[in-house]
Amino acid sequence: MNNFKHQQQEFLPISVNVTGKKLLIVGAGKAALSKVRSLRRFNVSITVIGIKIDPAFLEIDNIHIIHKSYDPSDLDDFFMVYACTDNRHTNEIIREHCHARNILVNLADNPRLSDFISPAVYQEEDLTIAVGSNGKNVKQSIMIRENIKKNSGPDLTGYLSLEKTSLNGEKNRDRSQKPFVPKVILAGFGPGDPELMTLKTHRYLLAADIIFHDALVDSRFLEHYPARKIAVGKRCGQHHIQQVEINQLLVSAALSGKKVVRLKGGDPLIFGRAGEELQFLAENNIDVKIVPGITSAFAAAAQYGIPLTHREIGSSVAFCVGHNIAERELPQASTLVFYMGARQQCEISNILIKKGWNKNTPVALISNVSNPQSKVVISQLDQLCQHPLLQETPLLIIVGQVVKKMPEFEEIAPRTEKKKKHIFAV
């Protein structure tokens, strides 16, 4: 007689190839949302079916949402199914329908009846660590995974090589016997929208002991990371810490053995003073790794559909600092993008016209790039001194004929203001 039904459930830890597979989530509440967020990093097609759709689903890209009640025919052609409704009886019915079609199913509210469960996963490149508890203690599994993240970090593959055997048969010394090498990560946060931060930066932040961050970085978002956060940002008119002090803080933290991340808005190598910090750290024998970020010029161009280069009218683009431009040599480019120029709009206008730019050259002023409160004002070069245009900071100024190629140019030019949420596909 088969007594498996009465035995304790055991789940075999295996890795399933889900590349290109179709996954179905039945239900659209908090439980379903959690499943979708954990599955999005895989190359799969995700479909969500539900009557009451959690608003957070609308902020997630690249998933299919169907607003309807469940029907057994919805299961057709799916590889795996997650039953995540708020009704246990409905979830069990879905399970029966899946078994009739030989489809693996997970019940969010009842691991005991599930064909599979999703362990707490930490992945670093090709290495994956899964922590499971046979579905009995999910919180403990997550806690263990988070400890692995914090204590191992981006160099996880190195930390797991403690018992490797060398060619002569002797075991390598463990990492506690290796010489200590102080290190700082210079990482870009991106233009403001946290979803535009790179996965590599995210992983370093998870592993960090201390995060030194700029003023333009969303401090509320940083609360997701367990590290100590120290604000060292410098905003126009609000300088509260000098660059030399920041340099010393980075060196001191690295030499103390801490995992240090210096987090900068945008890209660290574009007007981020990373060059100064890199040089100082190198002079003090601190190893440095740089992680690039999306600079605001690229984000603004994507947000408002402005091609920074165009085959017909713009063959080159240059990034310029917006202050003290009278003392600088302006680059020869079809499109100029000025950073930090909110207070120098008139000066930028006068100098460009003096250097031969047509006074009718279109200009786009964009504030709070990539954020929901972002605004754009379209004008022309000679108007920057005539009218109080967009003054909000941080402000980006794009000068060039390419501005005319933005989809809504004819609607909003000249000198009109339009609020627009970001439209990135990430």
Side-chain angles (χ1 to χ4, degrees), residues 44 76 91 155 211 264 287 308 315 330 341 363 385 390 398:
V44 294
D76 295 344
N91 290 340
D155 296 323
I211 301 171
K264 297 173 174 288
D287 189 23
L308 294 178
S315 61
L330 285 174
V363 177
C385 288
L390 191 56
I398 302 177

Side-chain angles (χ1 to χ4, degrees), residues 177-231:
Q177 296 175 298
K178 293 180 180 180
F180 166 66
V181 179
K183 185 176 183 178
V184 170
I185 308 299
L186 297 180
F189 180 77
D193 180 355
E195 290 190 339
L196 293 180
M197 182 179 69
T198 66
L199 287 175
K200 181 166 283 189
T201 292
H202 167 68
R203 289 170 182 166
Y204 276 117
L205 291 175
L206 283 173
D209 296 314
I210 302 178
I211 301 171
F212 295 95
H213 64 90
D214 281 350
L216 296 180
V217 174
D218 189 342
S219 59
R220 293 170 300 177
F221 177 78
L222 293 183
E223 293 304 317
H224 291 91
Y225 302 103
R228 179 187 176 194
K229 293 89 178 175
I230 300 177

Side-chain angles (χ1 to χ4, degrees), residues 115-405:
D115 298 322
F116 67 95
I117 56 175
S118 299
V121 172
Y122 176 46
Q123 189 172 31
E124 174 63 33
E125 297 180 353
D126 290 333
L127 183 68
T128 300
I129 295 178
V131 183
S133 61
N134 274 331
K136 293 184 176 181
N137 197 332
V138 176
K139 290 183 178 180
Q140 184 183 46
S141 299
I142 294 174
M143 181 184 69
I144 294 173
R145 179 197 60 189
E146 294 304 312
N147 283 335
I148 293 173
K149 285 183 183 180
K150 181 177 180 181
N151 295 318
S152 297
D155 296 323
L156 178 62
T157 52
Y159 294 155
L160 294 180
S161 62
L162 307 183
E163 297 299 323
K164 283 186 177 179
T165 304
S166 60
L167 292 177
N168 62 6
E170 294 181 358
K171 291 186 176 181
N172 295 327
R173 295 180 179 180
D174 66 38
R175 63 187 176 98
S176 65
Q177 296 175 298
K178 293 180 180 180
F180 166 66
V181 179
K183 185 176 183 178
V184 170
I185 308 299
L186 297 180
F189 180 77
D193 180 355
E195 290 190 339
L196 293 180
M197 182 179 69
T198 66
L199 287 175
K200 181 166 283 189
T201 292
H202 167 68
R203 289 170 182 166
Y204 276 117
L205 291 175
L206 283 173
D209 296 314
I210 302 178
I211 301 171
F212 295 95
H213 64 90
D214 281 350
L216 296 180
V217 174
D218 189 342
S219 59
R220 293 170 300 177
F221 177 78
L222 293 183
E223 293 304 317
H224 291 91
Y225 302 103
R228 179 187 176 194
K229 293 89 178 175
I230 300 177
V232 292
K234 300 183 292 297
R235 294 292 299 276
C236 183
Q238 302 178 15
H239 292 198
H240 68 278
I241 185 169
Q242 299 299 317
Q243 185 62 50
V244 65
E245 297 177 82
I246 297 174
N247 294 344
Q248 292 289 356
L249 286 172
L250 294 175
V251 168
S252 297
L255 291 177
S256 70
K258 302 294 185 182
K259 296 177 182 177
V260 182
V261 174
R262 173 69 172 103
L263 188 63
K264 297 173 174 288
D267 181 274
L269 297 175
I270 298 180
F271 304 126
R273 295 197 177 186
E276 299 173 41
E277 294 174 4
L278 179 62
Q279 179 180 349
F280 189 85
L281 291 167
E283 290 172 352
N284 285 272
N285 300 314
I286 307 296
D287 189 23
V288 179
K289 183 177 180 63
I290 300 177
V291 183
I294 295 176
T295 187
S296 57
F298 296 152
Q303 184 172 7
Y304 291 102
I306 302 174
L308 294 178
T309 61
H310 193 281
R311 186 171 58 176
E312 300 170 1
I313 56 175
S315 61
S316 57
V317 59
F319 301 156
C320 311
V321 64
H323 50 78
N324 300 326
I325 65 171
E327 304 170 8
R328 310 176 193 275
E329 183 178 352
L330 285 174
Q332 298 295 318
S334 306
T335 306
L336 299 182
V337 182
F338 289 93
Y339 289 66
M340 300 170 285
R343 297 185 179 184
Q344 289 79 31
Q345 296 177 36
C346 185
E347 181 185 6
I348 292 171
S349 170
N350 289 335
I351 290 178
L352 289 183
I353 293 174
K354 183 178 179 180
K355 289 183 176 293
W357 284 70
N358 190 309
K359 66 178 183 180
N360 297 321
T361 303
V363 177
L365 297 96
I366 305 169
S367 67
N368 292 296
V369 171
S370 84
N371 290 296
Q373 67 270 29
S374 178
K375 297 178 183 177
V376 60
V377 170
I378 302 303
S379 187
Q380 60 187 43
L381 202 54
D382 64 346
Q383 297 296 316
L384 296 185
C385 288
Q386 304 301 321
H387 301 277
L389 300 178
L390 191 56
Q391 301 291 323
E392 297 178 12
T393 59
L395 184 73
L396 197 76
I397 303 173
I398 302 177
V399 181
Q401 296 298 326
V402 293
V403 174
K404 289 184 177 180
K405 294 297 182 179

